[in-house]
Every structure is written in structure tokens, then in C-alpha cells.
Amino acid sequence: MSTYYEEVQEIKAQYPDGRSAALPALRLAQEKHGYLSPEALRECADALGTTPALCEAVASFYDMLHLAPTGRHIVEVCTNVSCALVGAQQVLESFEQELGIRAGETTDDGEVTLRPIECLGGCGWATVVSIDHHYRTHVKPADVPAIVQELRSGE
Amino acid sequence: MASEQRLIVMAGTDERDLTRLAEYEAIDGYSALQKARGMTPQAVIDDVIASELRGRGGAFFPTGRKWSFVPKPEQNPNPHYVVVNADESEPGSFKDNEIMSRVPHRFLEGCLIAAHAIESKNVFVYIRGEYTGPYEILLAALKELEGRPDLRGDVTIVLHRGAGAYICGEETALLESLEGKRGQPRTKPPFPAGQGLYASPTVVNNVETLATLPPIIEMGGAEYAKLGVPDSRGTRVVSISGHVERPGNYEIENGTSLRELIYDLGGGIPGGRDLKAVIPGGSSTVILKGDEIDVGYDFNSLLKLNTAMGSAGVVALDDRCCMVQLGIRISEFYEHESCGKCTPCREGTRWMTQILRRLESGEALQSELDLLLDVCDRINGKCLCPLGETAAVAVASYVEKFRGEFSAHVEQGGCPFGDASPLHDVLAPVAMGGHLPSAVPV
Ligand SMILES: Cc1cc2nc3c(=O)[nH]c(=O)nc-3n(C[C@H](O)[C@H](O)[C@H](O)COP(=O)(O)O)c2cc1C
Ligand code: SF4
């Protein structure tokens, strides 16, 4: 297995200018460290040949890059118009109930973060819920307990 | 015009699994690429001009003309780039998701045709970070291409994943992001054709635009131009969602009536309810009232109603929906997605949300309706990119078309619909004070 540093060098080589590797490098650092902690940003900056400040400035612009810790799993419920029209808010509330937290929070055991998210590009398959960045479509409140069960059982 | 689909971009998907190269080749996949490579780049550009293809990303710019602005390698020796806009994030649109997922090879073939036309050896596909599914399908399709130098030629295609930002769909913001920066739009000019990625000649095209190229080359531009209606030739993959029986993507000939889209293909409004309003082309477009849908789904017909096909996201809203609540949710979206570079957009979208919230809760005065329109007006035309402007124009259209309903909120001291409207109290990310999840308790 190659190290993080080596992986980033390979990604840089795909681009005429290695700076283009910033987003993939940040994504990888986040996967490795759980979130973009100061160490993660330093490691990313080293691999990219830039500064941690620049990495942080870039990361703070993007919704999928987290500068604060999140749960091990992340549940994102689209609450934009098309999903909302068919009951996304109720799906979000079912997750709140099942997880025992409010949207925006993480469970006490650090397992699951729940948040609403802007349009996921699956409007015709509403409600769309992204679980660790994999879409579940046509989610209804009644489906929520099973989804949470799956997450809790560590799949 | 019949209320049927006309499969050009999605052709063959009803019978085969076209994610596999062998299946795609079995229906003559990649033969258009071979045909294009037998033509000069200029001849390919001319054929696409003849097809009258216009961009499917939202701005509807003629594709062949855009390519003709790219300097020839003799004029500008810098590398030339094809950059694909696969950032699809406009509320209401999910067509590129399905195109990449179901006809990845037709899309890649289109990328290679575009590369031949502008004499480029490098294609970058900027795909939104949330699209894990389509990304994996494209990656598998690319792996298949890797083993086929006869198809790929000397062109490299790199998949570049975004990280969650609607604004990165704006082409210059996309280029900034692809260069590893914050995704903030650039001033234009210079246009990407002359100075795009790394200040080199660049064509930015939408996924669907590119996936339309193989059929155009195959049948010839003039033949393609026979489909559709004047100024809106060919087909369009339309995303239908919201209050319809059969939401989904439908490929139709341009000019098909919006009523047929909603009532025939979409199956009508569930529960026999009345159609109150339609967002015709994604959240950025001017709304239509339920009785304004006897209109062709094409550029000129919609322009007469002051609206547009945009990114072809049709959202139907039934009679339970509150238009103030719709305004809040849309305004919150733009507030969240504003890149922050221009004050009118950054602050104006926030003010819009505040006034709309006051209306909904019954605190607003009648004069605040005009204040809202005034805020919209002060955003309009004063922003660097179209994001702020489209937010203002879309929300202003809700007020203008449903003024009585907005006034009723003031008169009744609150929302006449309340929680009977499905858009009641929907939690948006911006309402949580930004987009960072809260820290894990320690
Ligand atoms: C705020 C904003 C968001 C946009 N989002 C997208 C998008 O997600 N996908 C897309 O293809 N075009 C999007 N566009 C349009 C692009 O700027 C550009 O016009 C398009 O990618 C050009 O490709 P086309 O000519 O093939 O349509 C957006 C524009 C703006 C202003
Ligand atoms: S209009 Fe809004 S999104 Fe566009 S550049 Fe200005 S601040 Fe950024």
C-alpha cells in the first residue's frame, strides 16, 4: 500500500499543474484522518508542496470538506424543493427521532452525524438521502429505522 | 407533437445495458468517433454548427460557435483543454446523473469527438463530489477504454471530483476549482475559449451537450437539425419532479408542450389535485402559473413567457403549496451557495430570506413586499456571475405572479397554508448557520 504522500504525487502527475490535486488530496486526507484536523492539513500541504493555510482556505469553501470532527458515518437528507415536496422534512425528523439527535448534531458515541443538505441531483427519486456519500432513493419515514439499524450494526 | 419520448441521447437504453463497452459497440458505439476522426477538425465544427446544437448546461449557447472561438494550435501553441461540466447541482435537475449512469460510453465518445474538434489531448471531467454512483460507472467505463488505444487514441481523460459547491457549475468557478482553488467565478472576458484552464484555450461543455455529439456526427448535423423547432433543435433530456405521478427523466423533442410533459409523460398531479405552479427549468428560472403550461418546451416559446429551459428541471407544485415558503427555500439555497465575492449577491440573498421569513411568520408590513422586490432589483445586474441575478429574478417572479397570496400573509398576520403546505418549516442547511457539522461531543 502506498503512503498518503505517494498517492498525492500520483494524483498530481495527472494534471499539467500539480496544484489541481488540491481537492483530491484534501478528500484523501479527510478519509485518512476522519476530518481535516490541523495535522491532516499539514500532511496535505506537505504532499501538495504548499501551506496548511492555503489548504484550509480551499477546504473551507466546500461543503463536503470538514474542518471540524464528524461522526464516523454521515447521513445527509436533501431538503431542497423537489424532495421537500414529497416529504423530506418528515424523513429528516424520523432520522432525528431514531438517532436521538437534532439535525446538525452527532450522536454521543461519535457514530453518526445527521444534516440536511442542498439538492443532491436525484429530484425524481425523492426523498434522496446520502449515506456516507452513497445515495438511497425514494426514502420514506418508515424506511428510517432499518437504515439506522444498518448503520449501527457497523456495515 | 406526440407526447412520446424521442431517444437520441438515451437511445438503446431500453434494450441494453450500455454501461458495458461490448454492448455499446454492438449498437455501433464509437463509430461516430471513427467517422469524426476521418474528418478535419474544422469539418467536425462545421457539422456541429449545422446541427444547431445549443448547450444543455443552462446558457443554451451554440456549441459549434463556441468551439470556433478556440484558437487553432498554430495561433496559440498552449495545450488545448476540453473540460466537462458534470457538476449538476441546480435544484430540479438530475439528467446528467442519469446520462452518465446509463450511457457513459456515449458521453465519453462525445468527449473524444470534442477533443478532436478543438485539437485537444486532455479532457477533464469535473463531476460533483456527491455523485459517487455516476463516478464509479464512469471510472469503470474509462477502465474499459484504457484497454482500447484504437478508441482512446492519444487523449487522456481525467475524472476530477468536486467537493460540494453549486457555484462550481458556473464555468469559470469550475475552472478555478479545477485549478485547486476556492470556486469563485472569474471576471469575463477573457473567456475560457481563449484563456481557460491554466490560461490556455479551453472548451467547457455540459455532459448532455457532449453525449449528443455521437448521434449528431452519425446522422449528420443537417439531419439532426430537422428535429425540434427553430432555435431549439434536437432533443432534450428533461427532469420532471415534484408533484407528478411519474417523476423521472424523459428525452423529448424540443417544442413538446409543457402540459404533455407534466400530464402525459409525468402522469399528472397525484391525488387528482390542481397544478398550482411549475418551475420550468430548474430553480433559477421564472415560475409559471398552473394555467401557463400550454407552451412549447423550447427557447422561443418559453422566452415569450419571460422564462427559459435553463437546465431542463421541471418541478410541479400542487395547490397545497405556499409560494412564500417556496421563496424561503429557494432564497435559502442561493444564500447558502453564494460564493461571497459580490456584496449584492452575498448580502442580498440573506435579506431576501429575512423578509420572506417575516412574511411567513406574519410580522411583515405590506410595504415589505415592495422592499423585497427592491432588494431583488438591487441584486439584478450588479453581480459578477448569474447566480445572484437568477436568485433575484426567480424569487421576484413568485411575488409578481402570486402577489395576492403574498399580501394575504400580511393581512392575515401569518401563512394561510401553514403546515398543510409540504414546504412548511423545511430545514435548510443555511438555517443551521453555515455548512459545517457541529463538533462531536467530547
Ligand atoms: C450558478 C451557475 C451554475 C451552473 N451550473 C451548471 C451545471 O451544474 N452544469 C452545467 O453544465 N452548466 C452549469 N452552468 C452553466 C455553465 O456556466 C456553462 O454555461 C455550461 O457548462 C456550458 O456548457 P454547455 O454550453 O454545453 O451548456 C451554471 C451556470 C451558473 C451561472
Ligand atoms: S453573483 Fe454571487 S455567486 Fe456569483 S460571483 Fe458574485 S457573489 Fe459569487
Side-chain angles (χ1 to χ4, degrees), chain B residues 167 170 183-186 334 337-346 349 379 382-389:
Chain B
I167 189 57
E170 193 282 330
Q184 290 185 308
R186 300 173 178 171
Y334 288 103
E337 301 299 334
S338 167
C339 83
K341 199 162 175 169
C342 325
T343 311
C345 169
R346 184 186 65 242
T349 50
I379 296 173
K382 295 166 192 74
C383 294
L384 184 60
C385 90
L387 184 144
E389 192 150 319

Side-chain angles (χ1 to χ4, degrees), chain A residues 14-24 27 31 54 56-71 74 76 78-82 84-90 92-93 96 103-110 113-125 130 132-135, chain B residues 81 88-94 97-98 124 126 128-132 136 158-165 167-168 177-184 198 240-243 247-249 315-317 320-321 326 329-330 332-333 336-337 339 422-429 432 435-441:
Chain A
Q14 294 188 301
Y15 300 93
D17 184 324
R19 277 179 309 178
S20 281
L23 288 189
R27 182 191 269 265
E31 279 168 16
L54 189 128
E56 183 171 349
V58 172
S60 66
F61 189 80
Y62 298 92
D63 201 50
M64 295 176 72
L65 298 174
H66 306 302
L67 292 164
T70 61
I74 182 153
E76 295 164 312
C78 170
T79 63
N80 208 294
V81 173
S82 297
L85 287 174
V86 301
Q89 180 63 27
Q90 288 70 42
L92 183 66
E93 285 167 13
E96 287 182 327
E105 294 177 347
T106 300
T107 52
D108 282 342
D109 56 6
T113 295
L114 173 68
R115 63 171 183 166
I117 194 163
E118 290 298 359
C119 183
L120 285 170
C123 320
W125 316 305
S130 176
D132 297 331
H133 308 301
H134 290 269
Y135 286 12
Chain B
Y81 299 110
E88 186 167 71
S89 313
E90 169 102 350
S93 290
F94 52 102
N97 183 341
E98 185 151 353
F124 293 98
Y126 187 102
R128 72 176 289 187
E130 293 87 349
Y131 274 1
T132 309
E136 284 171 353
V158 173
L159 302 184
H160 184 91
R161 304 176 79 182
I167 189 57
C168 290
S177 181
L178 182 50
E179 289 180 7
K181 303 175 197 154
R182 292 166 71 86
Q184 290 185 308
Y198 316 117
I240 307 183
S241 67
H243 291 146
N249 286 309
V315 185
L317 296 103
R320 293 170 303 165
C321 297
L326 175 69
R329 190 63 191 86
I330 294 288
E332 285 176 326
F333 169 73
H336 186 248
E337 301 299 334
C339 83
L423 296 168
H424 174 76
D425 259 354
V426 175
L427 186 64
M432 294 168 31
H435 58 244
L436 295 177
S438 59
V440 173

Side-chain angles (χ1 to χ4, degrees), chain B residues 55-57 66 85 87-89 169-171 204-206 209 386:
Chain B
R56 303 312 196 209
K66 186 192 271 189
N85 194 335
D87 194 51
E88 186 167 71
S89 313
E170 193 282 330
E171 59 184 12
V204 182
N205 273 134
N206 168 261
T209 310

